[in-house]
Amino acid sequence: MTEAEDRKPQSDEAHSAFRQPGGVPASADGESSTTSEFEIPEGLAVPRPAGTESETTSEFALPEGLEVPAQSAEPEGSAFSTPSTYSAWNTPAAFTPASGFPAVSLTKDLPWQDRMRTMLRMPVAERPAPETAHRHDDDTGPAVPRVLDLTLRIGELLLAGGEGAEDVEAAMFAVCRSYGLDRCEPNVTFTLLSISHQPSLVDDPVTASRTVRRRGTDYTRLAAVFQLVDDLSDAETHISLEEAYRRLAEIRRNRHPYPTWVLTAASGSLAGAASLLVGGDVIVFFAALFGAMLGDRLAWLCAGRGLPEFYQFAVAAMPPAAIGIALTLTHVDVKASAVITGGLFALLPGRALVAGVQDGLTGFYITAAARLLEVMYFFVSIVAGVLVVLYFGVQLGAKLNPDAALGTGDQPVVQIFASMLLSLTFAILLQQERSTVLAVTLNGGVAWCVYGAMHYAGGISPVASTAAAAGLVGLFGQLMSRYRFASALPYTTAAIGPLLPGSATYFGLLAIAQNEVDRGLVSLSKAVALAMAIAIGVNLGGEISRLFLKVPGATSAAGRRAAKRTRGF
């Protein structure tokens, strides 16, 4: 090659990535000196396990003189490798045992409330898949938006009727599973219902919501909704989506079982029975009856004019207090305090109080706070209405004794009759089915017998006596609801009527009207303690029934799970 050719630039093909660089001597054996990233560097020793050497060599054998270095004490692990702390003899709880997790038994003979409540308290991954639903004409499956709409409408009727948030979630969950929708998550607050369904892990979720704007007390409608959910949860009853909508429309259009004049008479009879319960006579009974009926009509008039319930309760509390003041000013020898106390019994929001405390005990704190705030507003409105009348009565010279003893227990037969009459009229006001009126009337009489035996005969504090009697009411209500697969509210709400703190509320208001604020606050605190004892007792009685009766999942590894968010676990 000439000197000119040597200075000539070479082509790109001459510069190869595998070409031997200039000035680097080639290997003696003529083999390629290229290395691999998997080749063990020179100078590293590979330890050979004892007894594993073999005379035969393979193409994967290590060259002589090369040894693999000893591994470190903590080698880099893999997501599929067994942890160093794992022991086959002492398996930690984080690993699935060889026998697997026991399946949750959800037998069909149990109430659907218990089955749905059990699944709601389980993690989503542990819930059993729903059975295939054959409640549609073709094989495409139910229309998901229509099923969610039906679920929300059923939940709206239950929540508006005063049902607890956990029971509303259980009913919504039961409706979705009855139509084969898995991975459904209902959510209930005081005024908003929502439900989300995700068909699979790769599909987008479908979410629907509904707002509860109006509330009404009709336990007949509540029982009809529970019967519809029970029929939907039964695998043997094939109710199509259109049939479910038709039955729901009939429930909405259903007229109340009692006319308006019966409700007004029941309100007056409730006040009269309450006045007998605290030691009144026949004159006091009719005075309280007339005052409560007048207050009920005035409240209906305010409702027709669109006034909020706060003012309706304040107006309804004024006539009984005014009649009691009038009897005192005319020097009629009667217990005027019993007339005012009887009027308060007809207005105290016992139903909302029990539902609010129940929601708080089961973990629905937002709904519980809203319900209790509603109870506080009602209580404040009653206090305002009675205080106005008492203030003017004291200014006019009415001699009201805040130290008067009401309900001394010296007439047990009359008081038992009054307690049963109070529960009967309370059940009518709640628009209960006629088939449940007798049971709740007897339940109210038994509750008062327990209270009277513990407080008047045994000398136990009224708060403890009230809690025990309310616990018995809750136990009976839960047993009846499990027996009939219905709601427990119709069997418990009216039965706690005789236990409401009417007299403690009245004496607290009277003391405040007479400028004895300290004594009034003490009496009102006692009324609050009695109200909380009623609510907690009713809930505890229901939980005791679930504790000793057959509950799904009680034999599994997880056992009976508590309410959600309990203790943060």
Side-chain angles (χ1 to χ4, degrees):
M1 179 181 298
T2 62
E3 183 178 357
E5 293 178 352
D6 188 41
R7 290 195 303 267
K8 181 179 179 181
Q10 300 180 4
S11 64
D12 293 338
E13 297 180 356
H15 299 279
S16 172
F18 303 98
R19 182 173 179 272
Q20 186 76 15
V24 178
S27 57
D29 54 359
E31 296 289 339
S32 175
S33 60
T34 57
T35 60
S36 170
E37 56 179 323
F38 301 102
E39 185 180 1
I40 299 177
E42 297 181 1
L44 295 181
V46 180
R48 297 179 179 271
T52 59
E53 295 184 0
S54 175
E55 296 180 357
T56 60
T57 60
S58 73
E59 54 181 337
F60 301 103
L62 295 174
E64 295 183 1
L66 295 181
E67 294 182 357
V68 178
Q71 297 182 354
S72 60
E74 295 183 358
E76 182 180 359
S78 171
F80 303 97
S81 61
T82 303
S84 59
T85 58
Y86 176 75
S87 173
W89 298 101
N90 300 318
T91 305
F95 294 90
T96 304
S99 59
F101 287 115
V104 178
S105 175
L106 298 173
T107 57
K108 300 297 183 181
D109 56 341
L110 292 172
W112 62 266
Q113 298 98 313
D114 290 343
R115 289 187 280 119
M116 296 302 110
R117 187 182 294 109
T118 300
M119 281 190 285
L120 281 174
R121 293 179 178 181
M122 294 169 55
V124 179
E126 298 180 13
R127 294 176 184 172
E131 299 180 358
T132 304
H134 300 285
R135 296 173 181 174
H136 39 273
D137 299 333
D138 50 15
D139 297 333
T140 59
V144 174
R146 295 198 67 195
V147 173
L148 297 184
D149 179 72
L150 176 67
T151 303
L152 291 175
R153 291 177 182 274
I154 290 177
E156 179 189 10
L157 286 180
L158 293 177
L159 187 62
E163 191 63 67
E166 186 178 28
D167 292 330
V168 176
E169 278 196 358
M172 296 172 63
F173 193 68
V175 174
C176 287
R177 290 184 65 88
S178 64
Y179 288 100
L181 297 187
D182 197 7
R183 300 186 185 92
C184 288
E185 289 297 331
N187 188 21
V188 177
T189 58
F190 185 59
T191 58
L192 181 64
L193 298 170
S194 63
I195 187 167
S196 178
H197 167 66
Q198 188 172 10
S200 65
L201 296 178
V202 297
D203 294 330
D204 295 333
V206 181
T207 304
S209 61
R210 193 173 183 89
T211 302
V212 180
R213 301 189 182 278
R214 297 189 61 184
R215 301 177 183 273
T217 304
D218 190 345
Y219 282 0
T220 301
R221 180 179 297 174
L222 189 70
V225 176
F226 263 79
Q227 183 62 44
L228 174 60
V229 177
D230 183 39
D231 293 341
L232 290 175
S233 302
D234 190 0
E236 298 179 357
T237 58
H238 301 284
I239 301 178
S240 63
L241 201 60
E242 288 72 17
E243 177 67 16
Y245 266 105
R246 186 190 63 80
R247 290 182 56 178
L248 187 62
E250 291 180 355
I251 293 173
R252 285 181 172 273
R253 292 194 301 264
N254 186 24
R255 297 178 60 88
H256 298 306
Y258 307 104
T260 305
W261 66 270
V262 174
L263 298 180
T264 302
S267 178
S269 301
L270 190 153
S275 64
L276 292 179
L277 196 65
V278 295
D281 53 12
V282 178
I283 300 178
V284 171
F285 175 84
F286 284 102
L289 184 145
F290 177 74
M293 292 177 63
L294 181 58
D296 182 76
R297 288 292 87 196
L298 291 177
W300 276 98
L301 181 63
C302 294
R305 296 295 184 270
L307 289 179
E309 286 185 319
F310 181 89
Y311 303 104
Q312 297 177 26
F313 272 78
V315 170
M318 289 182 178
I323 292 178
I325 294 296
L327 291 176
T328 303
L329 293 176
T330 55
H331 304 286
V332 179
D333 189 14
V334 295
K335 289 184 178 180
S337 299
V339 178
I340 304 175
T341 301
L344 290 177
F345 266 89
L347 297 175
L348 293 177
R351 173 183 58 87
L353 175 67
V354 172
V357 174
Q358 180 182 359
D359 289 341
L361 294 177
T362 52
F364 294 84
Y365 302 115
I366 298 178
T367 307
R371 288 187 189 271
L372 294 179
L373 184 61
E374 181 186 37
V375 171
M376 187 192 72
Y377 271 102
F378 289 161
F379 192 77
V380 170
S381 65
I382 297 171
V383 168
V386 175
L387 271 181
V388 170
V389 178
L390 289 180
Y391 176 78
F392 284 105
V394 171
Q395 297 300 319
L396 294 175
K399 302 298 182 181
L400 298 174
N401 185 13
D403 296 327
L406 295 179
T408 56
D410 53 353
Q411 295 179 335
V413 178
V414 175
Q415 290 182 332
I416 292 175
F417 169 77
S419 65
M420 296 178 66
L421 179 61
L422 194 152
S423 299
L424 173 64
T425 53
F426 203 173
I428 294 175
L429 287 176
L430 294 174
Q431 302 280 0
Q432 292 190 197
E433 291 181 302
R434 291 179 174 87
S435 59
T436 63
V437 171
L438 178 60
V440 74
T441 301
L442 296 177
N443 195 14
V446 172
W448 181 258
C449 289
V450 173
Y451 172 80
M454 295 182 63
H455 179 56
Y456 296 123
I460 303 177
S461 67
V463 176
S465 303
T466 301
L472 187 63
V473 169
L475 177 61
F476 175 78
Q478 191 60 230
L479 291 176
M480 290 300 297
S481 68
R482 291 174 63 91
Y483 174 72
R484 296 194 175 186
F485 287 16
S487 173
L489 288 182
Y491 302 100
T492 58
T493 306
I496 65 173
L499 305 176
L500 293 176
S503 58
T505 304
Y506 162 70
F507 285 128
L509 299 180
L510 179 59
I512 293 176
Q514 294 178 346
N515 292 326
E516 298 181 1
V517 180
D518 294 338
R519 178 183 295 182
L521 293 179
V522 170
S523 184
L524 291 179
S525 300
K526 179 182 177 181
V528 173
L530 291 173
M532 294 297 293
I534 292 173
I536 296 176
V538 170
N539 182 266
L540 183 60
E543 293 297 329
I544 289 176
S545 67
R546 297 192 188 103
L547 185 64
F548 292 101
L549 295 178
K550 187 177 181 181
V551 175
T555 59
S556 64
R560 179 179 180 271
R561 298 183 184 272
K564 66 176 185 178
R565 295 183 295 274
T566 299
R567 297 179 62 187
F569 294 160

